[in-house]
Amino acid sequence: MDSSPRSLASHFARLADPRSPEKVRHKLLDLVILAVLAALAGADAWTEVESFAEDQEEWLRTFLELPGGIPSHDTLGRVFSRIDAKAFTKCFLSWVQAIRPVLPRDIVALDGKTLRRSFDTASEKSALHMVSAFSHGSGLVLGQRAVDSKSNEITAIPELLKLLDLKGCIVTIDAMGCQKTIAAEIVKAKADYVLALKGNQGLMSEEMAEYFRWAREEKFRGLPHSYAETTEKDHGRIEIRRVWATEDLDWLPGKKGWKGLKSAVLVESERIVGEQRSLEQRIYISSLPGNDAEGLGAIVRGHWSIENRLHWVLDVSLREDQSRIRKGNAPEAAAILRHIVLNLLRMDPKPRGSIKSRRIRAAGVPAYRLQAIMGFPA
């Protein structure tokens, strides 16, 4: 296998094998590369990986050793269920660092997702919930962290942040991540933050909502602020977004407890569909200055790319919510494999169509699959 810095093999070759040496028939790196290639070509289950390998054996032997022949689906499931998930993540992070383009002020969105069918009733194991970091600029998954069954995202998010290179980025997180410790961790990483503020912050959320009500009634007279408004029309739907940002926060009790806090942002979305009209307001706190409401509004909208370009694509194009991989560490390993596949397809310098279309191309064009795992040219 190619050992160039952008190739998968050069980063996953260091993954420790969980099996006893005397029982090893299949090289671990072969199994990892095989699983990725099969997933690129549309395989979503271990049985499908085995079928792919049997059909493509002659081609696979041109670059994989396969000393034990084609691994069975049982072997694949057993090995991936025992892989150290943290070590697997470490290899993933090393690879991402090698392929990630340098994007000044990139928006990095963090959000959680539950793999609905990953629960294992027999072992009383709940469905896997993972927090992922997604680059708005490159479309790449930068990292992920499984949420412990006895914990929640508040614990997992700081752990994930410590794994990422965030210098110069803008980190966005929904309300669950609006915590002082998380804000401090982002600032420590030399990044900025825009955090959604909701009821989980109790009194602070109520005080901020009351402040913006008062400020709007006063038309922000005498208050340092910026304002931006956009209107979008699409298929009979009109959406008007209004953004107010201010650095007038000296009145806020406990402001000093929020590392780097500079501004508060109110985003109001008015949606008109026919005769129906709805209004939604959301408040954010940020380490960015409050003199650019337009830019802050764009950052807030950019956060939702993790829903549209990651979670939705994983479910629709990579069938994540239909995955029944459940044993041991396999659900987390499989989730990371899907992130690898998505990143590989997003790296294509001459993409054709959707992610699903690119998987179809990978299924029919062996050279495309091989080019992907070797690392498309930068």
Side-chain angles (χ1 to χ4, degrees):
M1 286 294 295
D2 179 46
S3 58
S4 66
R6 292 172 63 85
S7 75
L8 280 172
S10 63
H11 297 274
F12 285 86
R14 68 193 71 172
L15 183 64
D17 198 321
R19 300 167 294 176
S20 300
E22 63 274 10
K23 296 182 179 180
V24 172
R25 292 183 59 239
H26 306 281
K27 293 188 63 176
L28 182 60
L29 183 59
D30 280 357
L31 298 182
V32 172
I33 298 299
L34 173 58
V36 172
L37 287 167
L40 273 171
D44 298 313
W46 301 130
T47 52
E48 295 171 357
V49 175
E50 180 184 3
S51 295
F52 167 85
E54 289 173 344
D55 292 342
Q56 300 290 323
E57 182 174 3
E58 183 177 350
W59 173 73
L60 289 168
R61 286 190 179 279
T62 62
F63 56 90
L64 295 182
E65 295 184 28
L66 299 175
I70 297 301
S72 68
H73 62 274
D74 285 334
T75 295
L76 288 161
R78 186 166 55 251
V79 172
F80 278 95
S81 72
R82 296 177 59 192
I83 282 178
D84 185 316
K86 289 185 179 179
F88 203 42
T89 295
K90 188 174 181 180
C91 294
F92 174 87
L93 292 168
S94 172
W95 171 66
V96 168
Q97 195 60 31
I99 64 170
R100 180 184 179 185
V102 177
L103 299 172
R105 309 306 284 164
D106 189 19
I107 299 170
V108 176
L110 270 67
D111 197 19
K113 182 179 185 295
T114 299
L115 282 64
R116 292 189 303 143
R117 298 180 185 272
S118 61
F119 63 89
D120 188 357
T121 304
S123 60
E124 298 182 346
K125 183 179 177 182
S126 59
L128 176 68
H129 187 81
M130 292 190 74
V131 176
S132 300
F134 181 76
S135 162
H136 176 73
S138 67
L140 300 179
V141 183
L142 303 182
Q144 58 281 306
R145 188 78 173 190
V147 176
D148 188 275
S149 59
K150 297 181 181 179
S151 185
N152 56 36
E153 289 185 12
I154 295 175
T155 302
I157 289 172
E159 294 174 351
L160 176 56
L161 290 171
K162 290 175 183 177
L163 299 176
L164 304 174
D165 180 3
L166 296 170
K167 185 177 181 180
C169 294
I170 301 168
V171 179
T172 62
I173 314 176
D174 203 358
M176 180 64 79
C178 190
Q179 305 288 330
K180 293 177 182 178
T181 54
I182 290 173
E185 194 64 46
I186 293 170
V187 173
K188 183 180 178 181
K190 298 183 179 180
D192 283 297
Y193 60 79
V194 176
L195 307 177
L197 179 65
K198 289 185 181 178
N200 65 321
Q201 282 299 325
L203 184 59
M204 180 181 179
S205 179
E206 294 173 9
E207 290 176 333
M208 198 71 79
E210 182 58 36
Y211 169 81
F212 275 114
R213 278 195 293 271
W214 167 78
R216 290 185 65 182
E217 288 175 0
E218 295 295 318
K219 302 185 186 306
F220 282 87
R221 282 191 292 266
L223 299 175
H225 76 286
S226 58
Y227 174 76
E229 182 175 320
T230 60
T231 301
E232 291 183 5
K233 299 179 180 180
D234 183 35
H235 301 292
R237 176 181 60 84
I238 301 174
E239 185 159 356
I240 304 169
R241 296 189 185 93
R242 305 178 184 93
V243 183
W244 294 264
T246 181
E247 294 181 30
D248 178 39
L249 296 178
D250 289 341
W251 59 269
L252 182 65
K255 177 194 172 187
K256 292 182 179 179
W258 290 88
K259 192 76 172 178
L261 177 59
K262 287 183 182 177
S263 63
V265 185
L266 172 65
V267 178
E268 181 178 81
S269 299
E270 183 178 3
R271 180 172 295 187
I272 305 169
V273 182
E275 298 297 320
Q276 301 296 317
R277 184 185 297 262
S278 62
L279 196 67
E280 181 184 20
Q281 292 185 341
R282 299 186 302 276
I283 296 174
Y284 300 82
I285 59 173
S286 177
S287 61
L288 294 168
N291 59 358
D292 183 13
E294 183 178 0
L296 286 161
I299 291 168
V300 168
R301 291 196 301 277
H303 173 78
W304 299 111
S305 63
I306 196 170
E307 289 289 343
N308 302 326
R309 298 173 62 204
L310 178 58
H311 297 336
W312 187 87
V313 172
L314 287 171
D315 285 342
V316 174
S317 299
L318 282 85
R319 296 174 56 81
E320 182 164 81
D321 261 2
Q322 303 305 313
S323 176
R324 296 179 179 274
I325 295 173
R326 297 170 174 170
K327 301 298 181 183
N329 294 333
E332 187 171 351
I336 295 171
L337 287 172
R338 286 187 287 270
H339 287 174
I340 292 171
V341 168
L342 183 57
N343 281 359
L344 289 172
L345 295 174
R346 286 256 166 82
M347 287 166 59
D348 185 348
K350 298 179 180 179
R352 301 180 189 176
S354 65
I355 293 297
K356 184 177 180 180
S357 297
R358 289 175 227 177
R359 281 188 100 188
I360 292 172
R361 185 183 179 201
V365 184
Y368 182 73
R369 296 194 296 264
L370 191 57
Q371 189 180 22
I373 63 167
M374 295 298 185
F376 287 108

